Amino acid sequence: MAVRVAIAGLGFGAEFIPIYQAHPDAELVAVCQRTESTLSEVADHFGVPGRYTSFEEMIADPDIDAVHINTPIPNHAAQSVAALRAGKHVACTVPMATSLEECWAVVEAARESGRTYMMMETVVYSREFLRVRELVDDGTIGRIQFLRGSHHQEMAGWPGYWEGLPPMHYATHAVSPVLTLAGALAESVVCLGSGRISPELTAHYGSPFAVESALLTLRDSPVGAEVARSLFETAREYVESFTVFGSRATFEWEQTEGAGHVLHVGEKPEPVDVPDYAHLLPAEIARFTTDGVYDDENEHLSFVQGSGHGGSHPHLAHEFVRAVVEGRPPSIDAVTAANWTAVGICAHDSAMAGGARVAIPDFAGAP
């Protein structure tokens, strides 16, 4: 029986409508959007039968099995908890939450409901990440010695709640690849806040820093990691990147888009090809690694700046649907998502405390 999916939030969320419609194990039965005109326009375009302007009414629908949340960040945790308690499986775009208390609430709701929760982190299903994971798994990299992640993005022009957001409060694009490749969760963080943003931006969240840079210790691992973030008033071409230092080879992300990624074999740098990984997907959704739903004039900002998130969208939807069908934890379950999200929250707390070390909670245990 197909998993009956509903999507909440039709900006970035619309990218997933045709993927679920085409997936052999899913049925896209409803969409939800506060603005009724947008709801009708998108639902009419894709032929979606169920239409809601109220999230609460949507999750009360007994004909919906799973909800994919693509709403504003401040709503993620509360909506995830509400949907899980309503008996729905939940996929949620990043980050999981905006506080440690919210992270715990989602973890507990997932545990108590017995339903699937998956955070839809794009980087760890991008073609670049899948290629590097191959290089790690086949021994090309050797022992991982150190990992570095960064995400630099100018957020001017994004919705108002982004204004002045602490850089590390949106850090999972930089955190997730380093922790996944290390095969470990974060244990503690020390973070330096650097530079200053305008008083007008600072006033929104009380966060003055232009850049936040963190060093992570990893649980039960000798490997360390570094993560850097900027959101405002820091000049840099958009980049979500990671670098993996190994005993045999080091993968280094390209410095500018199109320059090419580099594999340092010993001390010799070589270009590294990054293929597409559509062959890992059901044939019905394979084309969505390269095709978005927007035309050139109407692409979502995340798609324009992020180069389509590395073809990750169908991989994410497929993992979520298969986890529900198979009754298994997804690759980014609630405990993992909480750890990745908490790294950023605790990093910002560290920066505000002058670089004090902050322990990351163990979300597999009790609060």
Side-chain angles (χ1 to χ4, degrees):
M1 182 177 178
V3 179
R4 298 170 297 183
V5 179
I7 292 177
L10 299 179
F12 174 50
E15 278 288 336
F16 290 88
I17 293 175
I19 299 173
Y20 287 119
Q21 287 178 323
H23 197 288
D25 299 317
E27 179 185 1
L28 197 285
V29 297
V31 289
C32 179
Q33 175 71 28
R34 289 173 299 181
T35 307
E36 192 162 2
S37 59
T38 302
L39 173 66
S40 297
E41 180 182 359
V42 174
D44 286 348
H45 179 77
F46 290 103
V48 182
R51 306 173 185 201
Y52 294 92
T53 55
S54 165
F55 184 85
E56 292 72 23
E57 290 181 10
M58 182 182 70
I59 61 175
D61 186 339
D63 294 325
I64 293 172
D65 301 316
V67 176
H68 185 163
I69 297 170
N70 296 277
T71 56
I73 288 173
N75 300 336
H76 288 181
Q79 290 181 337
S80 294
V81 169
L84 289 164
R85 289 179 175 166
K88 311 304 182 188
H89 303 287
V90 172
C92 184
T93 192
V94 302
M96 168 188 265
T98 61
S99 70
L100 296 181
E101 292 76 16
E102 287 184 343
C103 288
W104 276 115
V106 177
V107 169
E108 289 300 304
R111 187 175 294 153
E112 293 168 4
S113 69
R115 294 298 188 266
T116 299
Y117 173 92
M118 178 174 171
M119 187 172 74
M120 305 293 268
E121 172 51 63
T122 56
V123 173
V124 295
Y125 280 96
S126 67
R127 58 182 67 91
E128 293 85 0
F129 180 87
L130 296 175
R131 177 65 177 125
V132 174
R133 189 172 65 181
E134 285 183 338
L135 296 174
V136 171
D137 291 346
D138 69 14
T140 298
I141 296 293
R143 294 189 313 279
I144 293 178
Q145 306 287 36
F146 184 68
L147 296 136
R148 175 179 292 141
S150 67
H151 178 188
H152 298 288
Q153 179 175 10
E154 175 56 59
M155 300 302 291
W158 284 69
Y161 68 86
W162 287 97
E163 294 178 357
L165 188 75
M168 282 290 178
H169 277 200
Y170 189 65
T172 63
H173 290 335
V175 171
S176 61
V178 301
L179 294 184
T180 303
L181 290 169
L185 297 177
E187 180 178 60
S188 71
V189 59
V190 171
C191 185
L192 173 69
S194 179
R196 292 295 183 267
I197 56 176
S198 70
E200 292 77 16
L201 287 172
T202 300
H204 289 279
Y205 293 92
S207 173
F209 305 123
V211 180
E212 292 181 326
S213 181
L215 290 174
L216 314 181
T217 61
L218 309 189
R219 196 173 301 163
D220 301 320
S221 174
V223 177
E226 173 191 335
V227 172
R229 286 292 287 112
S230 64
L231 289 170
F232 295 98
E233 299 179 358
T234 302
R236 176 64 167 89
E237 180 185 44
Y238 178 101
V239 64
E240 295 173 18
S241 70
F242 59 91
T243 295
V244 186
F245 294 83
S247 59
R248 296 177 179 172
T250 289
F251 171 85
E252 185 174 23
W253 196 273
E254 62 188 5
Q255 289 300 300
T256 56
E257 187 172 354
H261 307 298
V262 176
L263 190 69
H264 300 266
V265 181
E267 297 182 1
K268 181 182 178 182
E270 302 174 353
V272 57
D273 292 330
V274 177
D276 194 40
Y277 286 85
H279 65 279
L280 300 178
L281 296 166
E284 294 90 337
I285 64 169
R287 72 178 179 87
F288 294 107
T289 61
T290 54
D291 289 349
V293 306
Y294 296 95
D295 59 32
D296 291 341
E297 295 181 359
N298 297 288
E299 286 185 318
H300 189 261
L301 268 175
S302 65
F303 210 84
V304 175
Q305 291 184 325
S307 299
H309 289 144
S312 62
H313 302 164
H315 292 283
L316 286 164
H318 181 57
E319 170 63 13
F320 176 58
V321 169
R322 290 307 304 171
V324 172
V325 169
E326 297 168 21
R328 61 167 173 81
S331 57
I332 313 169
D333 62 9
V335 169
T336 302
N339 183 266
W340 294 358
T341 300
V343 167
I345 295 169
C346 293
H348 178 64
D349 289 347
S350 171
M352 294 297 287
R357 183 173 300 278
V358 178
I360 311 297
D362 180 4
F363 292 99

